[in-house]
Amino acid sequence: MSVGFSEKDTALLQRLNQNSWRRTFSPDRDIDWRSSTTPEEYRTLYDAWSLLRGSRHDAALSEEQRIRFARYQQMNLMLVTALFERFALANFESLYGDDDEPAYQEYVAHLIKEETYHYVLFARAIARILESDSELHPLPHRHLKAYLTMAMFLLRWVPFRRLRHSMFFFFMRFTEEVTLQANTMIKRTITRRDCLVLRVWELHALDEARHVAFDDLMLRYARLPGVWAK
C-alpha cells in the first residue's frame, strides 16, 4: 500500500522532520513547574474566552467563581486534548503501514513522540492548576475515555485507507486548530512570560503547527473522488 507522495510533498515531510528535531520541547526541561497563573490572569481569561461571558449565568457569579470557572475551562480543554492525543496513539502507530517512504516513516515517529509529550505536559499542568485552588475538583473523564477508546478503535478499522485517513485527520485537524486558537488568544490576553497556562499552550503550539501541515497533506491525499468528497 502506498500514499504516493510527490517529490514536493516528500520535501515537505523532510522539512517537518528537520523542525521536529530543532523546534520541539521537553515537558520536564522547558517549563518551570513551580510557576503558576495568578487569579488576576484567570479573571482576564474569563473576560476574554469564557463560555459564560454575557450569558444569563454570568451575572450570578462572584469574582471568585469567575476565576474558578476560568481554571476549570483551562483544565477541561487540556484534558480533552491530552486524552484525544493519548487514545489516538494506536492510530498514529497504524500509519506506519500506509507508505514505506523514509521521510514519512520518520515523521510518524516524531508524531508519536510529540503526542506522548503533549499528554505529559497537560497532565502535569492540570495537576498544578488543581494545587492552586483547594476548592477545585478533578474533572470527570470516565465517559470521555470510553468514547475515545471506541471512536479510535472504529477509525482504525475503516476498510479503505483514503476514507480512514479523511475521517481521522479531519478530527485531528479540528482538535489541533482549537488548541492553536487557545494559544493565540492567551498570548493576546496575558503578557507575563512566566505564566504557567501561557507557557503550556505556547510549547504545545510549537509541535501543533507542524501537525496541522501534516494533517493538510494527508487530507489532500485522502480526498475522495467526485460526489464522495462531500
Side-chain angles (χ1 to χ4, degrees):
M1 184 180 293
S2 173
V3 174
F5 295 110
S6 67
E7 291 185 5
K8 179 180 179 181
D9 291 326
T10 299
L12 171 62
L13 288 168
Q14 290 170 343
R15 289 197 299 274
L16 294 177
N17 286 327
Q18 291 170 1
N19 286 330
S20 285
W21 289 115
R22 298 170 183 171
R23 289 181 52 80
T24 189
F25 69 94
S26 162
D28 187 63
R29 182 192 63 220
D30 295 317
I31 193 164
D32 181 2
W33 292 108
R34 298 167 298 178
S35 65
S36 63
T37 303
T38 67
E40 293 76 19
E41 287 168 336
Y42 279 118
R43 183 64 180 85
T44 303
L45 287 176
Y46 179 90
D47 287 338
W49 209 33
S50 171
L51 296 174
L52 297 183
R53 179 70 172 169
S55 73
R56 61 186 177 86
H57 303 287
D58 184 28
L61 295 178
S62 66
E63 289 298 290
E64 184 179 0
Q65 288 172 323
R66 290 188 177 98
I67 292 168
R68 187 164 294 133
F69 184 84
R71 287 190 171 106
Y72 273 123
Q73 189 164 305
Q74 288 299 312
M75 288 195 299
N76 186 67
L77 183 54
M78 290 178 185
L79 178 66
V80 171
T81 306
L83 290 180
F84 183 92
E85 294 176 335
R86 169 185 157 187
F87 281 91
L89 287 174
N91 298 65
F92 295 136
E93 196 278 336
S94 71
L95 295 175
Y96 278 119
D98 289 330
D99 199 289
D100 293 330
E101 164 59 47
Y104 171 80
Q105 294 274 314
E106 180 178 334
Y107 190 73
V108 171
H110 285 300
L111 188 63
I112 293 171
K113 170 260 181 183
E114 288 162 4
E115 299 292 26
T116 304
Y117 273 25
H118 295 173
Y119 178 78
V120 174
L121 174 74
F122 287 129
R124 287 192 180 188
I126 291 169
R128 188 74 182 90
I129 294 172
L130 285 169
E131 291 174 0
S132 68
D133 185 344
S134 61
E135 297 297 319
L136 293 174
H137 300 284
L139 293 166
H141 48 68
R142 184 180 63 179
H143 293 89
L144 179 58
K145 285 182 175 180
Y147 167 75
L148 288 172
T149 298
M150 181 61 68
M152 294 302 154
F153 174 80
L154 292 175
L155 283 172
R156 288 196 299 276
W157 286 97
V158 172
F160 303 107
R161 175 185 59 79
R162 290 171 70 179
L163 180 58
R164 183 170 64 250
H165 282 188
S166 65
M167 294 173 68
F168 178 63
F169 284 102
F170 173 83
F171 287 117
M172 283 292 297
R173 184 70 169 77
F174 173 79
T175 302
E176 289 164 350
E177 186 62 36
V178 170
T179 64
L180 288 173
Q181 289 295 325
N183 175 58
T184 299
M185 181 278 302
I186 290 174
K187 289 175 72 172
R188 289 175 179 170
T189 306
I190 298 176
T191 58
R192 186 172 65 90
R193 297 296 304 163
D194 293 335
C195 172
L196 176 67
V197 169
L198 174 81
R199 187 63 175 154
V200 166
W201 289 115
E202 185 177 53
L203 289 176
H204 182 257
L206 278 177
D207 294 338
E208 290 303 277
R210 290 190 301 276
H211 295 183
V212 166
F214 182 67
D215 294 344
D216 289 342
L217 172 65
M218 299 303 288
L219 284 169
R220 179 153 49 83
Y221 278 97
R223 184 174 177 82
L224 299 172
V227 297
W228 294 104
K230 297 185 181 299

